[in-house]
Amino acid sequence: MQPVSAQQAQKSYVCPGCGREIDPGVAHLVTWRADGVLGDSADLAARRHWHNTCWKIA
C-alpha cells in the first residue's frame, strides 16, 4: 500500500470500494498484492486506487 498525496494525484481513477471516481488532486491510497502467484510485475499491474475512507471500511 502506498499513500498518494493530493499534489501527487494527477489522474482520475475509479475506487473499487464505492465505484465512484477519485478526481485529480484528491489524496488516496494505491494498493496491490505482494504475494500473487504470477510475480511482482503482475501484482503491480493489478494495483488499485482507493479512497482513504473506502479502504478503512473494506
Side-chain angles (χ1 to χ4, degrees), residues 7-47:
Q7 293 174 342
Q8 294 171 312
Q10 301 293 314
K11 295 168 54 176
S12 63
Y13 299 95
V14 175
C15 174
C18 66
R20 292 182 293 156
E21 193 165 312
I22 302 171
D23 293 321
V26 174
H28 61 280
L29 296 171
V30 181
T31 64
W32 61 92
R33 293 184 62 99
D35 60 353
V37 296
L38 298 177
D40 291 341
S41 295
D43 291 343
L44 287 175
R47 64 190 179 270

